Amino acid sequence: MLQVEHLHAYYDQSHILHGLNFEIQAGEVLALLGRNGAGRSTTLKAIMGMVRAEGSIRYRGKQLLGLPSFKIAQAGIAYVPENREIFAELSVEQNLRLGQKLGISKQTPWQLEEMYALFPILLERRHTKAGVLSGGEQQMLSLSRSLLGNPDLLLIDEPTEGLAPKVIDVLRDFFIKIKQRGIAILLVEQKLNLALQVADRFLIMGHGQAVFEGEQQALLANDIIRQEWLEVG
Ligand SMILES: Nc1ncnc2c1ncn2[C@@H]1O[C@H](COP(=O)(O)OP(=O)(O)O)[C@@H](O)[C@H]1O
Ligand SMILES: [Mg+2]
């Protein structure tokens, strides 16, 4: 579904991605792992057309490189950035309705009620200003809002950073549920343990390149790769 080939990315004069190659199949969850500064966030931004990039990024056969971000979103890719980007002054429900409006039309669009079923706390707090939600609730809101746009592929950047273990479990269950609905996910995650519970395949980056790509068994068997390229803990 998504094919990234020879991807290079730059911030002004800094050359950050150095010929990255990987693929995501429809409905697959690919965990993108690596140490801080490895280039994982930059990879997501490059797919969304938010950094200067060269190479090829094809989605359902269509070249995304060079397209503006809104066209890439319209093609069916949603991006949940690290900082969550909710509208702090709007209520939970107003944030969700905006997600619906920005979506691409589909035969079986997600409904607000389904989001509330996935995250009951959002139903409880639907008239609360989004800015006063806890970090975990904001993450749930951000994920729900993206899903209401009916993407086929979700790019999610470190959703569990700084969250309590209980909240992380809720997010894990959410990832598993949307995966069961056939949505593909490119998940940037620091916690190997969580990635192991939701991902089909693993891509590890170091210094702007892929240093490992494979399934769980291969990753767990490879102590050297894990020790050299992943954060401890
Ligand atoms: N806006 C920016 N301007 C310049 N350099 C940046 C910018 N954002 C990230 N970088 C640099 O790009 C490299 C990769 O960063 P990033 O993609 O955020 O890594 P990761 O998400 O894996 O921690 C790092 O060396 C970082 O300092
Ligand atoms: Mg990052």
Side-chain angles (χ1 to χ4, degrees):
M1 176 160 74
L2 183 83
Q3 279 134 351
V4 173
E5 288 171 322
H6 315 299
L7 181 63
H8 292 257
Y10 309 82
Y11 296 106
D12 296 321
Q13 300 306 309
S14 323
H15 187 171
I16 305 293
L17 300 184
H18 299 270
L20 184 64
N21 298 289
F22 66 93
E23 280 191 21
I24 302 177
Q25 309 298 324
E28 180 180 51
V29 179
L30 178 67
L32 180 49
L33 310 173
R35 290 179 184 275
N36 275 328
R40 297 158 304 154
S41 296
T42 303
T43 301
L44 301 194
K45 288 178 194 165
I47 295 170
M48 291 313 291
M50 297 163 64
V51 294
R52 186 161 68 85
E54 291 164 0
S56 169
I57 303 173
R58 275 177 301 145
Y59 182 65
R60 301 185 179 285
K62 177 182 169 161
Q63 184 57 246
L64 297 184
L65 217 76
L67 294 181
S69 299
F70 78 93
K71 289 269 184 203
I72 295 166
Q74 280 174 356
I77 305 180
Y79 170 51
V80 184
E82 265 175 301
N83 54 16
R84 293 157 196 164
E85 289 186 0
I86 49 150
F87 297 96
E89 291 302 316
L90 299 183
S91 73
V92 165
E93 189 147 312
Q94 285 168 331
N95 267 275
L96 292 175
R97 291 203 184 283
L98 271 176
Q100 260 177 331
K101 277 204 191 120
L102 298 174
I104 49 166
S105 61
K106 274 282 168 60
Q107 282 165 330
T108 54
W110 291 85
Q111 300 299 327
L112 240 57
E113 292 68 31
E114 289 176 279
M115 296 301 119
Y116 289 143
L118 288 166
F119 295 127
I121 188 74
L122 294 183
L123 176 63
E124 258 174 62
R125 313 209 69 183
R126 67 186 181 282
H127 300 306
T128 306
K129 267 192 190 180
V132 305
L133 298 179
S134 71
E137 289 162 358
Q138 289 189 0
Q139 186 61 256
M140 294 175 203
L141 178 59
S142 185
L143 288 164
S144 302
R145 198 184 57 187
S146 305
L147 206 50
L148 284 167
N150 291 300
D152 298 312
L153 171 62
L154 267 176
L155 313 180
I156 311 176
D157 202 350
E158 301 217 36
T160 67
E161 204 187 1
L163 302 183
K166 266 191 184 164
V167 181
I168 294 176
D169 288 346
V170 172
L171 295 180
R172 176 203 55 206
D173 294 346
F174 170 82
F175 298 139
I176 292 170
K177 274 183 196 153
I178 61 172
K179 174 181 173 176
Q180 285 165 351
R181 291 277 292 250
I183 296 172
I185 308 175
L186 178 53
L187 177 65
V188 173
E189 182 51 65
Q190 200 66 260
K191 297 175 186 68
L192 177 60
N193 192 29
L194 176 75
L196 288 170
Q197 294 177 67
V198 298
D200 300 300
R201 276 192 311 121
F202 302 81
L203 174 67
I204 304 181
M205 286 181 68
H207 310 308
Q209 282 175 313
V211 295
F212 172 90
E213 189 175 357
E215 296 186 357
Q216 177 157 339
Q217 252 183 337
L219 177 59
L220 292 177
N222 200 327
D223 294 341
I224 293 170
I225 283 285
R226 290 202 319 281
Q227 281 157 19
E228 189 163 343
W229 298 107
L230 298 183
E231 307 278 352
V232 228

